[in-house]
Amino acid sequence: MEYNPFLNFCKVLDEAAATAKIAPEDYEVLKHPERELKVALPIIRDNGKLEVFEGYRVQHSSLRGPCKGGIRFHQDVNVDEVKALAAWMTFKCAIVNIPYGGGKGGVKVDPHTLSESELEKLTRRYTAAILPLIGPQQDIPAPDVGTNAQSMDWLMDTYSMMRGYAVPGVATGKDIEVGGSLGRTEATGRGIMTVTRLVAEKHGIKKARVAVQGAGNVGSISAKLIAKNLGFDIVAISDVSGGIYNADGLDMNSVGAFLAKKGLLKDYSAQGVKHITNEELLMCECDILIPAALENQITAGIAEKLKASIIIEAANGPTSVEADAVLASRNIDVYPDILSNAGGVVVSYFEWAQNLQSLYWEEADVNRMLDKVMVRAFGDVEKTAEEYGVTLRLAAYITALKRLTRAAKLRGIFPR
Ligand code: NAD
């Protein structure tokens, strides 16, 4: 059967609701995104030819506040993926208890095939096309795979031009000079580092071998901060071109400098380093595995063979439902995406709050508050796992579901 992440989301949701004895009518609404917009995006390429791209914005739920979620530029973007990503945002925001619902957007394009000016045109045209849905009180985009701070600067500028005044709060993950927050670029990786620290404390781990799949914003920063602040060895890291492995630990300063210069790991060389495939990375000798690339990477077959005893999900949806069952049967702890990678949206929330107040915070304050929110959410999920005797993924879903169904009850159904 074809992989459908939204149906997978619904499956886990049903299981969580059944475990927590939440009646189907109390959460049925969460199986239906509030709004789905599909847009056609014509741009004139540098060669003078017209090309039309396909894009989406999905608002999954605004039960707990304005919709919030990133924009993905990737050749495999499709509506079911965007729906799943939007739903996970709803749950993520509920777990960290910030006043947002969930949304997500995407454009079906390989951004590496566009020039800078084509990317700018596409981003601006996409912004114009989704304009009726977005706004600081409605739906607030952020970067995701294939987009970055520059993308959000263009989005914010386009929105502001259409409104006639500057609206920094329409997007987060912007550059500092146009209303970005200190600490936002590193926030998801910093949150992953905090979760890794809490997991290590819980298991009494003093030293660990860590493998990271993905070397983009999230993967590279998680790896760098875990090596620097926790002193753990990063034994493997990869990107779309493949991975590198060193049983004694990679020199992350050297890897980081190489990536900044060359963009991909494929020609990296250093003593003791061997090149491996992404699949080999997932199954390499390590204690902690951090998938930080795309969905559906840890399949049941890989779950049977992987050697890590702990998985901390930095990517969204990296583990299939079937793989989850295998991992549970092997007693491998999976710290789920909707808890572990929430650092990004937490600091996005801080950025938005700063934009609305026009009052900017010190980086140390941002990092301290992020740590506090992550520690609290981690504790909430651990407590729920103990209470129900379930996996951390189910516990995370239950934690969020209780907050969401409570909000739904308080708001009631309109019209009555
Ligand atoms: P990115 O575009 O910066 O990096 C993606 C990385 O994955 C790159 O190194 C790329 O080469 C690699 N990659 C792409 N295809 C691959 C493949 N088939 N196999 C192996 N590696 C592959 O994206 P990002 O922002 O780092 O996002 C990574 C993941 O983290 C996504 O699942 C995203 O939804 C999630 N996430 C991102 C944020 C954020 O703040 N950026 C927040 C929460 C979750």
Side-chain angles (χ1 to χ4, degrees):
M1 209 181 74
E2 208 175 306
Y3 166 71
N4 183 326
F6 189 70
L7 291 184
N8 286 351
F9 159 79
C10 291
K11 256 189 230 167
V12 184
L13 179 58
D14 282 337
E15 201 183 336
T19 309
K21 301 199 170 22
I22 294 172
E25 64 268 26
D26 290 340
Y27 73 96
E28 174 66 23
V29 68
L30 295 169
K31 292 182 173 178
H32 305 269
E34 281 174 18
R35 288 191 188 88
E36 293 173 40
L37 178 65
K38 183 178 178 197
V39 293
L41 308 168
I43 64 160
I44 305 289
R45 300 285 305 257
D46 291 347
N47 62 9
K49 295 213 167 95
L50 176 109
E51 194 166 340
V52 184
F53 295 89
E54 194 175 287
Y56 302 92
R57 184 75 192 173
V58 172
Q59 296 179 339
H60 173 258
S61 168
S62 60
L63 266 174
R64 289 172 36 91
C67 297
K68 183 85 192 83
I71 290 170
R72 178 171 293 195
F73 278 17
H74 192 275
Q75 58 278 14
D76 295 336
V77 160
N78 62 71
V79 71
D80 288 316
E81 181 186 67
V82 181
K83 279 163 67 176
L85 289 163
W88 289 327
M89 286 307 298
T90 302
F91 277 64
K92 195 178 299 182
C93 292
I95 288 171
V96 285
N97 219 352
I98 57 177
Y100 282 143
K104 202 86 179 191
V107 177
K108 192 173 172 59
V109 61
D110 178 355
H112 303 104
T113 61
L114 300 189
S115 68
E116 178 87 351
S117 97
E118 291 171 334
L119 265 180
E120 177 173 354
K121 281 188 207 173
L122 187 60
T123 307
R124 288 186 183 279
R125 183 66 193 225
Y126 173 73
T127 307
I130 64 166
L131 202 88
L133 293 198
I134 59 172
Q137 310 299 340
Q138 287 168 268
D139 183 355
I140 306 118
D144 190 67
V145 175
T147 56
N148 54 23
Q150 175 65 82
S151 324
M152 293 306 111
D153 301 345
W154 288 328
L155 186 148
M156 175 277 207
D157 181 71
T158 308
Y159 184 90
S160 299
M161 288 301 103
M162 309 286 272
R163 288 278 175 265
Y165 51 91
V167 189
V170 67
T172 59
K174 304 178 297 294
D175 277 299
I176 302 297
E177 296 81 352
V178 289
S181 174
L182 294 169
R184 172 61 184 92
T185 307
E186 292 202 332
T188 309
R190 183 169 290 279
I192 293 292
M193 190 246 324
T194 303
V195 169
T196 310
R197 186 190 84 217
L198 294 168
V199 170
E201 281 167 13
K202 177 180 148 192
H203 293 277
I205 299 168
K206 298 271 181 285
K207 193 86 188 148
R209 297 164 303 166
V210 181
V212 182
Q213 186 199 31
N217 170 284
V218 180
S220 66
I221 292 173
S222 301
K224 185 182 91 182
L225 293 179
I226 288 170
K228 186 169 152 220
N229 296 338
L230 306 183
F232 293 175
D233 285 333
I234 307 299
V235 291
I237 189 162
S238 68
D239 61 27
V240 68
S241 72
I244 51 176
Y245 179 84
N246 184 346
D248 297 327
L250 296 160
D251 175 348
M252 285 315 295
N253 289 330
S254 147
V255 173
F258 185 85
L259 268 176
K261 207 158 131 206
K262 302 273 185 186
L264 287 174
L265 290 165
K266 71 174 181 325
D267 297 322
Y268 181 80
S269 75
Q271 204 176 3
V273 170
K274 66 173 187 181
H275 283 260
I276 55 174
T277 64
N278 262 292
E279 197 166 301
E280 285 166 342
L281 178 136
L282 296 172
M283 296 186 290
C284 75
E285 285 290 347
C286 65
D287 307 303
I288 300 176
L289 174 63
I290 302 184
L294 295 171
E295 297 96 62
N296 205 27
Q297 298 295 301
I298 304 177
T299 56
I302 286 177
E304 300 274 5
K305 292 185 237 149
L306 63 78
K307 305 204 177 58
S309 54
I310 292 162
I311 297 175
I312 298 174
E313 294 183 334
N316 285 307
T319 310
S320 75
V321 174
E322 298 73 30
D324 246 351
V326 175
L327 295 170
S329 73
R330 292 186 60 203
N331 289 324
I332 295 173
D333 281 343
V334 181
Y335 289 84
D337 46 7
I338 52 175
L339 166 68
S340 308
N341 71 25
V345 76
V346 170
V347 177
S348 272
Y349 164 52
F350 296 161
E351 179 177 333
W352 176 76
Q354 292 171 76
N355 292 155
L356 296 188
Q357 297 173 53
S358 300
L359 187 65
Y360 287 84
W361 310 350
E362 303 284 338
E363 185 164 2
D365 293 333
V366 170
N367 291 344
R368 186 178 40 78
M369 287 176 62
L370 168 62
D371 193 72
K372 197 168 151 190
V373 173
M374 294 303 294
V375 169
R376 189 185 59 202
F378 186 92
D380 288 350
V381 171
E382 288 271 342
K383 204 166 129 217
T384 309
E386 263 168 44
E387 185 183 340
Y388 290 94
V390 292
T391 63
L392 292 155
R393 187 178 318 281
L394 270 193
Y397 269 73
I398 292 170
T399 306
L401 193 51
K402 283 187 169 177
R403 291 179 182 154
L404 284 156
T405 49
R406 176 80 183 135
K409 203 149 239 149
L410 290 169
R411 286 182 64 160
I413 304 281
F414 171 84
R416 251 305 178 217

